[in-house]
Amino acid sequence: MNPKSYSFLLFFLCAQNFTTACPVGCSCNGSSITCTSLSKPEFDLLTATLKEAPYNETTELHLSAVSEFLFTSLPDMLKLNVLKIHASPGDSEWFLRRHQFSELQTLHFTKCDLKTFPKALMSLTSLTELDLSDNKLENLGADSIHIRSIQKIILRNNEIKIIGVHVFRYMPTLKVLDLTGNNMSRLVTSDFTSAVSLKELILRNNKIELIETDTTDPLQQLETLDLSGNLLSEVRLEAQQNFRHLFSLNLSSNSLHVIRQGFLQLPDLQVLQLDNCEMSVVEAGAFVSLPRLHSMDIKNNPNLAYFSPNAFGNSTAFYRLNIQKTGFKRIPLTILEKVSQLYIKDTALDCSCTSRDMKDFGAVTIIDWNDATCRTKMGAVQKLSHLEKSEEPCRDNLLTPFGVKQTAIVGQAYRIYCANDGTNSKLFWVSPNKTTTEAKQPDLRKSAVKKTDYFTTTLLDPSYSKNHEERVHISTEYYGFDVVLESDAGYYECVSKSDMKTLTRKIELTVLRPEIYLNASHVATTSVHLSWNKNLKIEAVDRVALRITASSEKMFKRQVQLSLYNMFRSYNLVNLSADKEYEICLEWYLTDSETMIYKSCITQKTRPFKTVMQSLNAKLAIGLLVIMIIVVVFCCDTCIHQKYAYFSRMKKQAKMQQSISGQSMLTQSSSADATTYENFQLSVTSASERPLI
């Protein structure tokens, strides 16, 4: 081979290698290209390379920290399936050509300072997954995403506050929606009416305080719901309204101090997470409406001391329970009877109780047995694996999860918790008026939460009965009030009696009166517009009513019933008498006994009727005065003008008459100005006969 041929072959091979080399700043793996920290010239070189073979057939393109990124700079990539762009701000408009990414199925555009949903999303008709996390999106409205093929949307760590109406109308195949780390304050199930295919809804780490359900049928197909890391203090989810097929529910990291009876009524729920919820009590019947519950985590609740032996009811499907890092002194017998797999590491167990209960551990598999510990009477930590069975009696104890000094607010539903710690002792309650009552087991009948208040119920059904159950409920777990009154304050004694000894806990209940101020925002002659700063927090809405009363000295009294759901906190009281003083009160009361719960009153006098002059203000009076002056001036001017015209006309007529009769009209002493008709004719004649010069 001659030198020229060798040089030509070397040049050809170098040129071929140059054309197939991976672009600068990128790594290539088959039909996938990943580029990081590209400058503007390097990005321009990449876009030029993507136009040539074989890179024009790229199926995956990953770009991170690209300077001055623009979608319009990318060539038409007809085989691109995955496009991921991260930390590359610069393009907020997304001007896409018609068939630029005709086969694109996955698009990630994260941490790019995006503030609005680009309209160009509509052109991506094959898209199935969209990730716009770590941007600055605020509104998720009906015009945000119109992609009928979309199945998964990820919008983590944005600034979204609410979900607009009909936002899912143009996403009929959406299955997964992730809104983690946004600013949502409530979950309204009716917002998801159009989400007919949604299977998984993730709302982790928002600011949700309230879940609003209604009688429509949204979210019936939902299987997974994640509400962890929110501000929920109470949860009520019912399958007959929504969540009929919910399989997994995560409520971790919410302030759920008490798991109430029937707090979830979900027949298909199998996985429940209640980690790190500041939980203290699990009531009887808490999980009785979860017949298929299979696995539950309640770990990281160090204050959880009482777990009712009747928490599960007759459930038989329960399999796995994690109670690690909880405050149990002894493992509740109900757990040992129901659970097959148990996790108990770092639980504050009492060694004396645990050693005695070990005979009941036979049917339970403790997964972390080798790491589980307990504490002796002397405070020493001992491994359960080294603990020997003992007949040493377990110390009886009365559990008061919320201490011996508790506070309630007028109107709320409240329960004073006190229960035996796994013993069969009888429990008695002594009220502040020294009435002693033997406690009974809690009633596990399903109790639906009343949502229709007394005002609405009687409006729809005037024959509605006012008879209700007792306001006070006494059980072996709590002394409860449906509605707290100021008279409920005092000392309550919880007494446990057995053959061996008697234990007593005296609990002081302080009842706080909320500061609700009634004021008259506008006063008229026959009406007063009232407003108040807040409502009582009433849970027993079916037995509490709200009214406004107005009374005067002459035995006049009027009552107006209001709804407890008066969200505007205002009312216009009409048909009052003028210039009269009224005592107006805002009252919450029990409907069955007319017992007053809370009352706020003001004294207000209506305005007197005004005369016409009193009703005139300064500006109006000045305006009327100016108009009157203008009218007077106009009238005077017209009158003077008419008088002047009349006298002028009379004067001319007199002149003509005097001239015809030869008499002077004027009476001056000098006759030089007195001209008669004859003299005027003579002067005209003499002037005409005078010769011209």
Side-chain angles (χ1 to χ4, degrees):
M1 184 180 292
N2 57 35
K4 290 185 177 180
S5 299
Y6 180 79
S7 299
F8 177 78
L9 179 61
L10 182 64
F11 174 77
F12 177 78
L13 292 174
C14 292
Q16 187 179 15
N17 184 60
F18 175 77
T19 57
T20 59
C22 195
V24 178
C26 302
S27 61
C28 301
N29 182 13
S31 61
S32 175
I33 300 177
T34 301
C35 305
T36 305
S37 302
L38 296 184
S39 62
K40 183 65 168 62
E42 292 173 337
F43 178 60
D44 293 339
L45 179 61
L46 171 65
T47 56
T49 305
L50 293 174
K51 298 178 182 179
E52 306 295 336
Y55 299 110
N56 58 355
E57 296 186 357
T58 299
T59 58
E60 292 189 22
L61 179 59
H62 303 254
L63 302 177
S64 179
V66 176
S67 178
E68 300 182 28
F69 171 80
L70 292 174
F71 273 103
T72 54
S73 300
L74 294 175
D76 293 350
M77 305 180 71
L78 303 182
K79 294 188 177 182
L80 187 67
N81 293 326
V82 178
L83 176 58
K84 297 183 179 181
I85 302 168
H86 177 72
S88 302
D91 195 350
S92 59
E93 298 296 334
W94 288 29
F95 293 109
L96 301 180
R97 296 182 293 278
R98 182 176 179 83
H99 299 293
Q100 189 173 1
F101 309 116
S102 58
E103 299 296 326
L104 189 64
Q105 297 180 4
T106 301
L107 174 59
H108 292 191
F109 193 74
T110 58
K111 206 173 182 179
C112 295
D113 295 336
L114 192 66
K115 296 182 179 179
T116 58
F117 288 90
K119 301 294 184 183
L121 284 172
M122 298 176 61
S123 64
L124 303 175
T125 56
S126 300
L127 199 65
T128 59
E129 179 178 331
L130 175 64
D131 187 351
L132 299 178
S133 300
D134 299 299
N135 284 291
K136 299 179 180 179
L137 299 171
E138 296 182 358
N139 299 314
L140 180 58
D143 58 344
S144 298
I145 303 174
H146 290 191
I147 307 175
R148 304 192 70 84
S149 61
I150 198 72
Q151 296 183 15
K152 184 176 182 179
I153 296 178
I154 305 172
L155 300 172
R156 299 188 192 119
N157 302 323
N158 280 279
E159 300 173 6
I160 297 172
K161 296 181 180 179
I162 58 173
I163 297 176
V165 180
H166 306 307
V167 67
F168 304 106
R169 175 179 294 178
Y170 303 100
M171 295 179 280
T173 60
L174 181 65
K175 296 181 179 179
V176 179
L177 176 61
D178 189 347
L179 291 168
T180 298
N182 282 274
N183 296 325
M184 294 180 61
S185 60
R186 62 178 183 169
L187 170 61
V188 183
T189 58
S190 58
D191 291 341
F192 297 86
T193 302
S194 303
V196 294
S197 302
L198 191 63
K199 300 289 186 182
E200 183 176 355
L201 178 59
I202 304 173
L203 299 171
R204 188 187 305 119
N205 296 333
N206 275 266
K207 301 175 181 178
I208 297 175
E209 299 177 341
L210 180 65
I211 300 176
E212 296 184 14
T213 59
D214 51 30
T215 55
T216 59
D217 295 329
L219 300 176
Q220 293 287 358
Q221 70 292 332
L222 192 69
E223 296 179 355
T224 301
L225 176 60
D226 189 345
L227 291 169
S228 59
N230 282 282
L231 303 177
L232 293 169
S233 59
E234 186 176 0
V235 176
R236 294 280 184 179
L237 298 181
E238 300 179 10
Q240 60 264 33
Q241 293 181 335
N242 315 107
F243 314 108
R244 182 168 299 168
H245 299 294
L246 194 63
F247 174 86
S248 175
L249 176 62
N250 189 348
L251 295 173
S252 301
S253 301
N254 285 284
S255 298
L256 303 176
H257 301 291
V258 177
I259 304 301
R260 291 285 191 93
Q261 174 185 347
F263 88 116
L264 296 176
Q265 299 180 23
L266 305 169
D268 285 346
L269 189 70
Q270 297 186 33
V271 180
L272 177 61
Q273 293 175 270
L274 296 169
D275 308 340
N276 194 28
C277 286
E278 303 176 16
M279 196 186 307
S280 297
V281 174
V282 176
E283 284 188 1
F287 311 114
V288 73
S289 298
L290 304 175
R292 300 185 63 187
L293 186 63
H294 180 273
S295 176
M296 181 169 66
D297 287 348
I298 55 174
K299 62 184 179 181
N300 297 323
N301 287 291
N303 296 324
L304 179 56
Y306 182 69
F307 195 102
S308 174
N310 300 309
F312 292 105
N314 296 322
S315 175
T316 58
F318 202 59
Y319 180 76
R320 174 188 170 277
L321 178 64
N322 189 333
I323 60 171
Q324 293 177 345
K325 296 183 180 180
T326 55
F328 291 123
K329 299 299 181 183
R330 63 187 300 182
I331 301 175
L333 183 60
T334 182
I335 292 178
L336 299 176
E337 292 175 346
K338 295 286 185 181
V339 179
S340 297
Q341 289 188 357
L342 185 64
Y343 296 79
I344 62 173
K345 182 182 177 181
D346 297 326
T347 301
L349 296 174
D350 187 326
C351 288
S352 61
C353 296
T354 304
S355 62
R356 188 173 181 179
D357 294 337
M358 286 179 68
K359 63 180 182 295
D360 298 318
F361 287 7
V364 181
T365 300
I366 299 179
I367 304 300
D368 51 359
W369 174 260
N370 293 329
D371 298 323
T373 59
C374 63
R375 287 188 177 274
T376 65
K377 293 180 179 180
M378 305 302 295
V381 177
Q382 185 175 353
K383 283 195 172 184
L384 292 185
S385 57
H386 299 160
L387 191 64
E388 297 180 357
K389 291 185 179 181
S390 171
E391 296 300 326
E392 180 183 357
C394 181
R395 290 167 290 178
D396 291 338
N397 189 22
L398 275 177
L399 299 177
T400 52
F402 297 104
V404 296
K405 290 193 175 186
Q406 302 181 24
T407 302
I409 301 175
V410 169
Q412 75 173 137
Y414 191 81
R415 291 178 176 179
I416 304 172
Y417 290 95
C418 179
N420 287 314
D421 185 11
T423 63
N424 295 321
S425 303
K426 290 185 177 181
L427 193 72
F428 298 85
W429 285 95
V430 182
S431 63
N433 59 7
K434 302 305 178 181
T435 300
T436 301
T437 306
E438 182 177 355
K440 298 180 180 180
Q441 291 294 329
D443 187 0
L444 297 184
R445 290 177 300 176
K446 292 183 180 179
S447 57
V449 178
K450 303 294 184 181
K451 294 186 177 181
T452 306
D453 65 345
Y454 177 78
F455 170 80
T456 307
T457 303
T458 54
L459 187 66
L460 299 176
D461 182 12
S463 62
Y464 176 73
S465 174
K466 296 183 180 181
N467 297 323
H468 299 280
E469 298 177 357
E470 293 293 331
R471 181 180 66 90
V472 178
H473 306 280
I474 300 175
S475 76
T476 54
E477 297 181 2
Y478 55 78
Y479 193 107
F481 308 92
D482 283 349
V483 182
V484 174
L485 306 178
E486 288 187 78
S487 58
D488 293 328
Y491 289 92
Y492 294 81
E493 293 185 27
C494 175
V495 182
S496 175
K497 293 183 179 181
S498 65
D499 297 336
M500 302 295 295
K501 59 181 177 180
T502 300
L503 296 176
T504 302
R505 292 284 187 275
K506 182 177 285 188
I507 304 171
E508 181 184 5
L509 178 64
T510 302
V511 178
L512 300 180
R513 179 181 172 86
E515 295 182 351
I516 299 179
Y517 302 107
L518 180 66
N519 62 79
S521 55
H522 177 74
V523 180
T525 53
T526 60
S527 65
V528 176
H529 189 273
L530 303 168
S531 62
W532 53 99
N533 59 329
K534 59 182 177 181
N535 288 318
L536 287 183
K537 186 179 180 181
I538 304 292
E539 184 174 327
V541 295
D542 59 325
R543 64 185 310 162
V544 176
L546 173 63
R547 67 189 177 195
I548 289 179
T549 63
S551 57
S552 63
E553 295 179 353
K554 296 182 178 180
M555 301 301 293
F556 170 85
K557 188 171 184 179
R558 176 181 298 164
Q559 294 185 1
V560 180
Q561 294 287 341
L562 302 179
S563 172
L564 291 175
Y565 301 119
N566 190 320
M567 57 186 299
F568 300 106
R569 301 189 297 274
S570 63
Y571 184 77
N572 192 31
L573 190 61
V574 297
N575 295 330
L576 302 177
S577 299
D579 196 22
K580 184 173 289 187
E581 189 173 77
Y582 291 91
E583 183 184 27
I584 304 174
C585 296
L586 182 69
E587 300 175 351
W588 283 267
Y589 66 97
L590 295 174
T591 58
D592 47 1
S593 61
E594 294 287 329
T595 302
M596 192 63 59
I597 301 172
Y598 188 91
K599 185 176 183 179
S600 179
C601 298
I602 59 171
T603 300
Q604 182 63 52
K605 187 176 183 180
T606 54
R607 295 178 180 273
F609 283 114
K610 295 182 179 180
T611 62
V612 176
M613 294 305 297
Q614 288 176 334
S615 60
L616 297 178
N617 55 34
K619 292 183 179 180
L620 184 60
I622 293 173
L624 291 175
L625 182 61
V626 171
I627 293 174
M628 290 178 63
I629 292 174
I630 292 173
V631 170
V632 170
V633 171
F634 177 78
C635 293
C636 292
D637 179 71
T638 302
C639 183
I640 294 173
H641 179 75
Q642 290 178 349
K643 290 287 186 180
Y644 177 77
Y646 174 77
F647 283 116
S648 298
R649 187 170 61 255
M650 293 299 296
K651 180 178 178 181
K652 288 182 180 180
Q653 290 178 356
K655 276 185 173 184
M656 295 298 296
Q657 292 176 358
Q658 291 177 2
S659 297
I660 294 172
S661 60
Q663 298 178 0
S664 176
M665 178 181 175
L666 302 177
T667 58
Q668 291 93 338
S669 57
S670 173
S671 61
D673 294 332
T675 305
T676 62
Y677 180 76
E678 292 82 356
N679 293 336
F680 177 75
Q681 292 291 333
L682 290 174
S683 62
V684 171
T685 304
S686 60
S688 61
E689 293 177 353
R690 191 174 300 159
L692 298 173
I693 300 176

